[in-house]
Amino acid sequence: MLLDSKNYQDPTRIHKAIVEYQFQEVFQPHWFGSIQWQPFITDYATAVKEARHFRNKFFCALLNTKPTKIPNPPGRPRIIWFHEKAPVCINPQDSKNPRFKIAFHTHFHLEECPEPYDSWIRLDWLVRNQVAKGFYRFSTSNSKENKGFVLKPWIHEHHANYNLKDYYRFRHHQDSDLVLDIENSDLQFSRN
């Protein structure tokens, strides 16, 4: 359905086909979010774990429920997660001797949320004031070098393939194909 035999061996094409199917056939994202974890995360498994923590706290706050009572879609907004690698400056105060490390940051594509969190200002407030409370790795600090949390309206032309750039940039690194977080994402592959 999503792949032909020519594309079967190319992880970039496989993930692109999966993502395109989700955004064209399953749901239309309404929000695009970015999270820079503090302290920096350098392994994929930890990024997945922190995204799960954020996801649970977010849905509990959004739906005013307990983690065990979070419904599956369509009883709540769908969300798809990506974890990307990027060089980050680990000593921004020393501009004469900058040092960098490769660390993960996280992006999410979120379906429209129910009232009263259907506007940017209310949804941003929910994340910064409810979800971020007591969250060890979640940073809402914003500086020139590091935007801890960013929420934007989702624009198809810009965000639909936004996360696929990492496949090309880090294709020679170990685990270069691990960008789409299959474990935490609300992926659907049939029209039931």
Side-chain angles (χ1 to χ4, degrees):
M1 168 177 72
L2 293 173
L3 304 169
D4 57 34
S5 60
K6 177 182 163 191
N7 295 333
Y8 186 70
Q9 297 297 319
D10 184 351
T12 304
R13 288 187 180 171
I14 292 169
H15 284 86
K16 185 174 183 182
I18 290 170
V19 171
E20 284 176 354
Y21 180 79
Q22 302 306 306
F23 295 158
Q24 291 173 8
E25 302 294 329
V26 179
F27 80 102
Q28 176 70 49
H30 196 80
W31 303 106
F32 176 80
S34 220
I35 302 169
Q36 180 67 53
W37 305 107
Q38 292 293 329
F40 299 121
I41 294 175
T42 58
D43 66 286
Y44 184 81
T46 303
V48 169
K49 177 182 163 207
E50 293 303 328
R52 183 180 320 109
H53 186 191
F54 177 92
R55 178 180 172 265
N56 288 340
K57 286 189 72 142
F58 174 73
F59 283 130
C60 286
L62 180 75
L63 304 171
N64 193 25
T65 191
K66 296 179 180 181
T68 56
K69 302 286 185 185
I70 297 172
N72 290 323
R76 63 161 172 79
R78 291 183 185 277
I79 190 166
I80 295 181
W81 297 90
F82 295 87
H83 306 293
E84 291 189 339
K85 299 174 193 174
V88 290
C89 184
I90 59 174
N91 62 338
Q93 64 280 3
D94 187 1
S95 61
K96 293 180 182 177
N97 183 28
R99 292 185 310 152
F100 294 87
K101 84 172 8 175
I102 301 294
F104 282 94
H105 60 279
T106 296
H107 297 288
F108 60 88
H109 303 253
L110 175 66
E111 197 168 25
E112 188 169 16
C113 295
E115 291 182 351
Y117 302 109
D118 55 345
S119 71
W120 175 85
I121 196 156
R122 290 185 176 158
L123 193 57
D124 188 71
W125 179 90
L126 179 78
V127 170
R128 292 178 186 279
N129 294 289
Q130 297 295 315
V131 178
K133 281 184 180 176
F135 197 149
Y136 168 64
R137 285 212 188 252
F138 187 75
S139 171
T140 56
S141 65
N142 286 311
S143 66
K144 188 176 178 181
E145 300 84 23
N146 180 16
K147 299 284 186 199
F149 173 73
V150 176
L151 182 68
K152 299 178 178 182
W154 196 85
I155 301 167
H156 185 274
E157 296 75 28
H158 183 66
H159 295 120
N161 292 313
Y162 185 86
N163 298 102
L164 299 176
K165 66 187 181 302
D166 217 36
Y167 288 116
Y168 299 106
R169 186 170 35 175
F170 291 104
R171 70 175 166 245
H172 301 296
H173 287 214
Q174 181 181 5
D175 299 331
S176 62
D177 60 336
L178 297 176
V179 176
L180 175 62
D181 182 343
I182 294 172
E183 191 176 320
N184 290 314
S185 295
D186 296 315
L187 302 175
Q188 180 180 318
F189 296 100
S190 65
R191 304 279 267 151
N192 47 347

